[in-house]
Amino acid sequence: MSFPLYRNIKQIILTTMNIDEIVNTCLSNMKASEDFNDSDTVLSIKGLLSCIIENPSIVLRSSNEERLSIAISNILVSEFPSNYPIFNGTNVRNLVFACSFYLFMHQLDRGKFYGRMWPAFICLIHYGRSEFAKFIIDKNPFAPEKIAKLTGQSIDSQRSIKAAKGLELNLMLAAKDKDSWCDELSIWYDELFDDKDELLASDPFRKEALPLYEIITNYLKDNDVSFVNI
């Protein structure tokens, strides 16, 4: 049996498993991997993304949101989005960010967000600042940049990036308040804290994160991830 055929058979097996089995396989491979770039881990990432792209609403029905959110958010910090920026016709970084963001927010919404999850959510926002900034401009009908976009003018991303940084700092302060802090985050915290008043003045969690959460939820309920191709 040739290696490509063997890999295709493994791909078929992965995509016919249910979402929780795929997540368990993905996390197991990630745990054993040095850099998430070995063939087994890459294959399981492809299986997970294929499952979501083919049936996006499955993200809403996971029996273990915590494990799913960790598995998906890990993809954002791996080399996979650089090696496969488009997978099955879908923007990988945007897809990974949107699904992870929904899952973290939904766990908060349900009161099922455990202390150990704060660093993971903070990492998602830190590494996904540009994705968050793009989404709050493109998907929020009340975003001030909408006028410039509709009229074909250049868009100043300063406000949206500031909102992303503000959300990141907001989550850091919440983690500290709930005794869920880890020292590895301190360098990011120190970079933002001096601008605390400016970054938090617009209340980025309430004005940006919550509306985006609702928008992504509605798309997933419609079984649609085409919105990530922006």
mmCIF file of all heavy atoms in Angstrom, residues 200-227:
data_model
loop_
_atom_site.group_PDB
_atom_site.id
_atom_site.type_symbol
_atom_site.label_atom_id
_atom_site.label_comp_id
_atom_site.label_asym_id
_atom_site.label_seq_id
_atom_site.Cartn_x
_atom_site.Cartn_y
_atom_site.Cartn_z
ATOM 1 N N LEU A 200 -9.760 50.327 27.870
ATOM 2 C CA LEU A 200 -11.008 49.849 28.461
ATOM 3 C C LEU A 200 -12.125 50.888 28.435
ATOM 4 O O LEU A 200 -13.257 50.588 28.826
ATOM 5 C CB LEU A 200 -10.764 49.397 29.909
ATOM 6 C CG LEU A 200 -9.755 48.253 30.092
ATOM 7 C CD1 LEU A 200 -9.626 47.902 31.568
ATOM 8 C CD2 LEU A 200 -10.164 47.028 29.285
ATOM 9 N N ALA A 201 -11.810 52.091 27.963
ATOM 10 C CA ALA A 201 -12.802 53.172 27.989
ATOM 11 C C ALA A 201 -14.066 52.837 27.207
ATOM 12 O O ALA A 201 -15.172 53.222 27.581
ATOM 13 C CB ALA A 201 -12.178 54.462 27.462
ATOM 14 N N SER A 202 -13.919 52.097 26.110
ATOM 15 C CA SER A 202 -15.075 51.805 25.253
ATOM 16 C C SER A 202 -15.806 50.525 25.653
ATOM 17 O O SER A 202 -16.734 50.111 24.963
ATOM 18 C CB SER A 202 -14.612 51.693 23.797
ATOM 19 O OG SER A 202 -13.721 50.597 23.648
ATOM 20 N N ASP A 203 -15.364 49.881 26.750
ATOM 21 C CA ASP A 203 -15.977 48.638 27.221
ATOM 22 C C ASP A 203 -16.005 47.593 26.108
ATOM 23 O O ASP A 203 -17.075 47.199 25.622
ATOM 24 C CB ASP A 203 -17.392 48.906 27.727
ATOM 25 C CG ASP A 203 -17.948 47.740 28.539
ATOM 26 O OD1 ASP A 203 -17.267 46.694 28.632
ATOM 27 O OD2 ASP A 203 -19.071 47.855 29.059
ATOM 28 N N PRO A 204 -14.824 47.125 25.659
ATOM 29 C CA PRO A 204 -14.752 46.228 24.496
ATOM 30 C C PRO A 204 -15.476 44.901 24.677
ATOM 31 O O PRO A 204 -15.928 44.309 23.694
ATOM 32 C CB PRO A 204 -13.246 46.019 24.298
ATOM 33 C CG PRO A 204 -12.651 46.310 25.639
ATOM 34 C CD PRO A 204 -13.494 47.404 26.221
ATOM 35 N N PHE A 205 -15.601 44.430 25.902
ATOM 36 C CA PHE A 205 -16.301 43.157 26.093
ATOM 37 C C PHE A 205 -17.784 43.311 25.774
ATOM 38 O O PHE A 205 -18.355 42.538 25.000
ATOM 39 C CB PHE A 205 -16.131 42.642 27.526
ATOM 40 C CG PHE A 205 -16.682 41.253 27.729
ATOM 41 C CD1 PHE A 205 -15.901 40.137 27.474
ATOM 42 C CD2 PHE A 205 -17.989 41.056 28.163
ATOM 43 C CE1 PHE A 205 -16.407 38.849 27.640
ATOM 44 C CE2 PHE A 205 -18.513 39.779 28.326
ATOM 45 C CZ PHE A 205 -17.715 38.673 28.069
ATOM 46 N N ARG A 206 -18.392 44.333 26.339
ATOM 47 C CA ARG A 206 -19.835 44.519 26.127
ATOM 48 C C ARG A 206 -20.144 45.019 24.723
ATOM 49 O O ARG A 206 -21.078 44.531 24.071
ATOM 50 C CB ARG A 206 -20.395 45.514 27.163
ATOM 51 C CG ARG A 206 -21.907 45.722 27.057
ATOM 52 C CD ARG A 206 -22.416 46.624 28.163
ATOM 53 N NE ARG A 206 -21.867 47.957 28.082
ATOM 54 C CZ ARG A 206 -22.374 48.935 27.321
ATOM 55 N NH1 ARG A 206 -23.449 48.714 26.578
ATOM 56 N NH2 ARG A 206 -21.821 50.127 27.306
ATOM 57 N N LYS A 207 -19.355 45.962 24.218
ATOM 58 C CA LYS A 207 -19.677 46.601 22.939
ATOM 59 C C LYS A 207 -19.167 45.841 21.719
ATOM 60 O O LYS A 207 -19.706 46.018 20.615
ATOM 61 C CB LYS A 207 -19.128 48.032 22.926
ATOM 62 C CG LYS A 207 -19.846 48.963 23.900
ATOM 63 C CD LYS A 207 -19.370 50.393 23.747
ATOM 64 C CE LYS A 207 -20.118 51.335 24.670
ATOM 65 N NZ LYS A 207 -19.655 52.744 24.533
ATOM 66 N N GLU A 208 -18.157 45.003 21.888
ATOM 67 C CA GLU A 208 -17.584 44.315 20.736
ATOM 68 C C GLU A 208 -17.674 42.791 20.849
ATOM 69 O O GLU A 208 -18.129 42.127 19.912
ATOM 70 C CB GLU A 208 -16.113 44.723 20.553
ATOM 71 C CG GLU A 208 -15.892 46.217 20.411
ATOM 72 C CD GLU A 208 -16.456 46.790 19.120
ATOM 73 O OE1 GLU A 208 -16.912 46.020 18.251
ATOM 74 O OE2 GLU A 208 -16.439 48.035 18.979
ATOM 75 N N ALA A 209 -17.249 42.258 22.006
ATOM 76 C CA ALA A 209 -17.197 40.801 22.133
ATOM 77 C C ALA A 209 -18.591 40.174 22.163
ATOM 78 O O ALA A 209 -18.841 39.172 21.482
ATOM 79 C CB ALA A 209 -16.420 40.414 23.395
ATOM 80 N N LEU A 210 -19.493 40.750 22.933
ATOM 81 C CA LEU A 210 -20.836 40.170 23.031
ATOM 82 C C LEU A 210 -21.591 40.208 21.699
ATOM 83 O O LEU A 210 -22.180 39.191 21.301
ATOM 84 C CB LEU A 210 -21.640 40.867 24.134
ATOM 85 C CG LEU A 210 -21.235 40.512 25.573
ATOM 86 C CD1 LEU A 210 -22.048 41.325 26.571
ATOM 87 C CD2 LEU A 210 -21.408 39.017 25.842
ATOM 88 N N PRO A 211 -21.600 41.340 20.979
ATOM 89 C CA PRO A 211 -22.271 41.335 19.667
ATOM 90 C C PRO A 211 -21.645 40.341 18.686
ATOM 91 O O PRO A 211 -22.367 39.672 17.940
ATOM 92 C CB PRO A 211 -22.099 42.778 19.177
ATOM 93 C CG PRO A 211 -21.952 43.578 20.411
ATOM 94 C CD PRO A 211 -21.176 42.706 21.358
ATOM 95 N N LEU A 212 -20.308 40.220 18.694
ATOM 96 C CA LEU A 212 -19.663 39.269 17.794
ATOM 97 C C LEU A 212 -20.047 37.838 18.159
ATOM 98 O O LEU A 212 -20.292 37.008 17.270
ATOM 99 C CB LEU A 212 -18.146 39.441 17.840
ATOM 100 C CG LEU A 212 -17.355 38.502 16.914
ATOM 101 C CD1 LEU A 212 -17.771 38.682 15.458
ATOM 102 C CD2 LEU A 212 -15.848 38.723 17.087
ATOM 103 N N TYR A 213 -20.122 37.566 19.427
ATOM 104 C CA TYR A 213 -20.557 36.237 19.900
ATOM 105 C C TYR A 213 -21.948 35.907 19.369
ATOM 106 O O TYR A 213 -22.199 34.795 18.872
ATOM 107 C CB TYR A 213 -20.521 36.220 21.424
ATOM 108 C CG TYR A 213 -21.241 35.071 22.085
ATOM 109 C CD1 TYR A 213 -20.928 33.750 21.772
ATOM 110 C CD2 TYR A 213 -22.220 35.309 23.047
ATOM 111 C CE1 TYR A 213 -21.600 32.698 22.410
ATOM 112 C CE2 TYR A 213 -22.880 34.277 23.675
ATOM 113 C CZ TYR A 213 -22.563 32.968 23.350
ATOM 114 O OH TYR A 213 -23.226 31.927 23.978
ATOM 115 N N GLU A 214 -22.852 36.855 19.435
ATOM 116 C CA GLU A 214 -24.215 36.636 18.942
ATOM 117 C C GLU A 214 -24.235 36.419 17.430
ATOM 118 O O GLU A 214 -24.965 35.565 16.908
ATOM 119 C CB GLU A 214 -25.099 37.823 19.320
ATOM 120 C CG GLU A 214 -25.324 37.965 20.820
ATOM 121 C CD GLU A 214 -26.109 39.221 21.180
ATOM 122 O OE1 GLU A 214 -26.469 39.971 20.246
ATOM 123 O OE2 GLU A 214 -26.347 39.442 22.381
ATOM 124 N N ILE A 215 -23.420 37.179 16.715
ATOM 125 C CA ILE A 215 -23.362 37.062 15.255
ATOM 126 C C ILE A 215 -22.838 35.685 14.846
ATOM 127 O O ILE A 215 -23.415 35.008 13.984
ATOM 128 C CB ILE A 215 -22.478 38.179 14.670
ATOM 129 C CG1 ILE A 215 -23.183 39.533 14.808
ATOM 130 C CG2 ILE A 215 -22.161 37.905 13.200
ATOM 131 C CD1 ILE A 215 -22.270 40.727 14.564
ATOM 132 N N ILE A 216 -21.742 35.254 15.473
ATOM 133 C CA ILE A 216 -21.172 33.947 15.149
ATOM 134 C C ILE A 216 -22.147 32.841 15.511
ATOM 135 O O ILE A 216 -22.309 31.866 14.756
ATOM 136 C CB ILE A 216 -19.828 33.752 15.875
ATOM 137 C CG1 ILE A 216 -18.782 34.735 15.333
ATOM 138 C CG2 ILE A 216 -19.326 32.311 15.712
ATOM 139 C CD1 ILE A 216 -17.466 34.713 16.090
ATOM 140 N N THR A 217 -22.821 32.974 16.645
ATOM 141 C CA THR A 217 -23.814 31.977 17.059
ATOM 142 C C THR A 217 -24.887 31.811 16.002
ATOM 143 O O THR A 217 -25.268 30.685 15.647
ATOM 144 C CB THR A 217 -24.463 32.381 18.391
ATOM 145 O OG1 THR A 217 -23.461 32.478 19.414
ATOM 146 C CG2 THR A 217 -25.511 31.350 18.826
ATOM 147 N N ASN A 218 -25.370 32.911 15.462
ATOM 148 C CA ASN A 218 -26.439 32.855 14.456
ATOM 149 C C ASN A 218 -25.959 32.168 13.178
ATOM 150 O O ASN A 218 -26.705 31.394 12.560
ATOM 151 C CB ASN A 218 -26.948 34.259 14.150
ATOM 152 C CG ASN A 218 -27.754 34.846 15.294
ATOM 153 O OD1 ASN A 218 -28.332 34.113 16.105
ATOM 154 N ND2 ASN A 218 -27.788 36.162 15.402
ATOM 155 N N TYR A 219 -24.730 32.448 12.771
ATOM 156 C CA TYR A 219 -24.193 31.775 11.580
ATOM 157 C C TYR A 219 -24.083 30.271 11.815
ATOM 158 O O TYR A 219 -24.445 29.461 10.946
ATOM 159 C CB TYR A 219 -22.814 32.333 11.218
ATOM 160 C CG TYR A 219 -22.852 33.587 10.378
ATOM 161 C CD1 TYR A 219 -22.465 34.815 10.899
ATOM 162 C CD2 TYR A 219 -23.262 33.533 9.045
ATOM 163 C CE1 TYR A 219 -22.486 35.968 10.121
ATOM 164 C CE2 TYR A 219 -23.282 34.681 8.262
ATOM 165 C CZ TYR A 219 -22.902 35.892 8.805
ATOM 166 O OH TYR A 219 -22.926 37.039 8.028
ATOM 167 N N LEU A 220 -23.578 29.879 12.978
ATOM 168 C CA LEU A 220 -23.422 28.453 13.266
ATOM 169 C C LEU A 220 -24.785 27.761 13.345
ATOM 170 O O LEU A 220 -24.937 26.618 12.908
ATOM 171 C CB LEU A 220 -22.641 28.254 14.564
ATOM 172 C CG LEU A 220 -21.170 28.685 14.534
ATOM 173 C CD1 LEU A 220 -20.527 28.509 15.902
ATOM 174 C CD2 LEU A 220 -20.390 27.890 13.485
ATOM 175 N N LYS A 221 -25.773 28.451 13.889
ATOM 176 C CA LYS A 221 -27.130 27.888 13.934
ATOM 177 C C LYS A 221 -27.674 27.671 12.522
ATOM 178 O O LYS A 221 -28.445 26.736 12.292
ATOM 179 C CB LYS A 221 -28.065 28.810 14.716
ATOM 180 C CG LYS A 221 -27.869 28.767 16.222
ATOM 181 C CD LYS A 221 -28.843 29.696 16.933
ATOM 182 C CE LYS A 221 -28.692 29.610 18.446
ATOM 183 N NZ LYS A 221 -29.614 30.552 19.152
ATOM 184 N N ASP A 222 -27.251 28.520 11.601
ATOM 185 C CA ASP A 222 -27.665 28.382 10.200
ATOM 186 C C ASP A 222 -26.782 27.387 9.446
ATOM 187 O O ASP A 222 -26.921 27.231 8.230
ATOM 188 C CB ASP A 222 -27.613 29.738 9.497
ATOM 189 C CG ASP A 222 -28.719 30.677 9.962
ATOM 190 O OD1 ASP A 222 -29.727 30.181 10.500
ATOM 191 O OD2 ASP A 222 -28.560 31.904 9.785
ATOM 192 N N ASN A 223 -25.868 26.742 10.172
ATOM 193 C CA ASN A 223 -24.967 25.756 9.584
ATOM 194 C C ASN A 223 -24.107 26.378 8.470
ATOM 195 O O ASN A 223 -23.898 25.790 7.406
ATOM 196 C CB ASN A 223 -25.755 24.567 9.022
ATOM 197 C CG ASN A 223 -24.999 23.250 9.159
ATOM 198 O OD1 ASN A 223 -24.177 23.086 10.048
ATOM 199 N ND2 ASN A 223 -25.287 22.314 8.267
ATOM 200 N N ASP A 224 -23.564 27.555 8.768
ATOM 201 C CA ASP A 224 -22.870 28.350 7.749
ATOM 202 C C ASP A 224 -21.551 28.876 8.308
ATOM 203 O O ASP A 224 -21.530 29.510 9.362
ATOM 204 C CB ASP A 224 -23.762 29.508 7.343
ATOM 205 C CG ASP A 224 -23.121 30.429 6.325
ATOM 206 O OD1 ASP A 224 -22.118 30.041 5.695
ATOM 207 O OD2 ASP A 224 -23.626 31.561 6.145
ATOM 208 N N VAL A 225 -20.448 28.581 7.615
ATOM 209 C CA VAL A 225 -19.170 29.197 7.983
ATOM 210 C C VAL A 225 -18.609 30.027 6.831
ATOM 211 O O VAL A 225 -17.445 30.431 6.859
ATOM 212 C CB VAL A 225 -18.111 28.159 8.437
ATOM 213 C CG1 VAL A 225 -18.473 27.564 9.775
ATOM 214 C CG2 VAL A 225 -17.894 27.099 7.373
ATOM 215 N N SER A 226 -19.435 30.297 5.831
ATOM 216 C CA SER A 226 -18.954 31.099 4.712
ATOM 217 C C SER A 226 -18.572 32.506 5.175
ATOM 218 O O SER A 226 -17.789 33.190 4.508
ATOM 219 C CB SER A 226 -20.026 31.183 3.616
ATOM 220 O OG SER A 226 -21.191 31.832 4.095
ATOM 221 N N PHE A 227 -19.100 32.928 6.317
ATOM 222 C CA PHE A 227 -18.830 34.279 6.818
ATOM 223 C C PHE A 227 -17.364 34.491 7.162
ATOM 224 O O PHE A 227 -16.913 35.636 7.304
ATOM 225 C CB PHE A 227 -19.703 34.578 8.050
ATOM 226 C CG PHE A 227 -19.282 33.854 9.296
ATOM 227 C CD1 PHE A 227 -18.463 34.473 10.258
ATOM 228 C CD2 PHE A 227 -19.706 32.558 9.547
ATOM 229 C CE1 PHE A 227 -18.082 33.820 11.408
ATOM 230 C CE2 PHE A 227 -19.353 31.889 10.701
ATOM 231 C CZ PHE A 227 -18.525 32.506 11.645
#
